[in-house]
Amino acid sequence: MIELLIVIAIIAILAAMLLPALNKARGRAQAANCLNNLKTVGLAIAFYTDAYESYLPSTTNSYNKWYLSGKATDTNIGFVSLMLGSKARLNPRLLLCPSYRSLIVNEADGYNNYGLNIQLFYHKAGSWQTAWNKLSRIRRPAETFCGGDIQYEGTNPEASARYVISHESNAYFARYSHSQRMNGLFADSHVSSCAYPVPALNTNKIFWYGYDK
């Protein structure tokens, strides 16, 4: 009996020692998958700008959100699926960060927990809208933020906070779920882990606009 208790105690100690390492390994794998998701978005942006005279796509695409995979109807599709093959119908979970699943809504509206920077991408909400922009206008693309992890706890499928990031409102939260860092996509198509917090507009206009506005 004593020997059994000793064995159990040793197993428990080993498990306690291994668990943090396993959690770190899982976190690194999730972060890598998340970066790959953002690379897919970057590829779609590159195809779009190449096809449309350097214009960056819209976040709403005539009132269709940019991430929609077209599962509900043929018109229910965003630019990512449009550029990468609407017939193939992107995996609807391709735009879900594996470390954060709170933004799952439903197949008809799409699955997503990434946001695009509405200082760069056209966005229309009611009578309010931002301007169309060109990739060629961005002076320092490697330093200019296109989008990344977002956090939204609401359930409204129409809320812009579900699919865009802005420096202008507390409703558009960046999410730091990768060891206190956020994964981001930049205008030159590279992806990177961003330290908390991302720069504010008044300290880094290049980050949000790509030029000194």
Side-chain angles (χ1 to χ4, degrees):
M1 184 65 179
I2 294 176
E3 290 83 357
L4 179 60
L5 292 174
I6 291 172
V7 171
I8 293 173
I10 292 171
I11 293 173
I13 291 170
L14 290 174
M17 293 172 63
L18 290 173
L19 190 58
L22 291 174
N23 285 336
K24 286 182 180 180
R26 182 177 64 179
R28 286 193 294 269
Q30 290 174 337
N33 287 338
C34 176
L35 288 169
N36 283 334
N37 290 348
L38 290 172
K39 284 181 181 178
T40 299
V41 177
L43 184 64
I45 292 171
F47 287 167
Y48 189 98
T49 55
D50 186 59
Y52 294 100
E53 300 179 345
S54 192
Y55 276 101
L56 290 163
S58 166
T59 59
T60 47
N61 192 28
S62 300
Y63 296 98
N64 281 334
K65 290 85 173 174
W66 64 266
Y67 58 86
L68 292 180
S69 61
K71 284 288 182 177
T73 67
D74 287 339
T75 59
N76 194 34
I77 184 171
F79 80 84
V80 175
S81 186
L82 181 66
M83 291 294 106
L84 299 183
S86 59
K87 297 301 182 183
R89 295 293 186 249
L90 291 175
N91 179 348
R93 296 180 183 273
L94 180 65
L95 299 179
L96 284 177
C97 172
S99 68
Y100 186 83
R101 295 298 180 87
S102 293
L103 296 193
I104 295 176
V105 179
N106 54 58
E107 188 174 89
D109 189 63
Y111 300 84
N112 173 62
N113 49 33
Y114 298 109
L116 295 183
N117 173 10
I118 59 172
Q119 273 58 244
L120 290 186
F121 297 85
Y122 175 82
H123 183 73
K124 182 175 176 62
S127 60
W128 177 84
Q129 66 185 42
T130 56
W132 289 95
N133 200 2
K134 283 191 172 187
L135 182 63
S136 57
R137 190 184 180 200
I138 297 173
R139 297 177 184 172
R140 288 153 62 178
E143 301 172 47
T144 304
F145 178 69
C146 278
D149 296 315
I150 59 169
Q151 175 174 307
Y152 174 64
E153 301 297 341
T155 58
N156 179 7
E158 300 303 317
S160 296
R162 288 191 59 240
Y163 54 92
V164 296
I165 292 180
S166 171
H167 65 79
E168 297 174 337
S169 170
N170 289 333
Y172 304 87
F173 288 118
R175 170 171 48 84
Y176 302 90
S177 59
H178 302 291
S179 300
Q180 308 303 314
R181 300 176 73 89
M182 177 189 74
N183 284 338
L185 169 68
F186 290 80
D188 67 344
S189 295
H190 89 273
V191 293
S192 178
S193 174
C194 304
Y196 172 89
V198 295
L201 176 66
N202 59 1
T203 62
N204 193 333
K205 292 180 181 179
I206 293 293
F207 183 86
W208 291 102
Y209 287 105
Y211 55 92
D212 294 324
K213 191 177 177 69

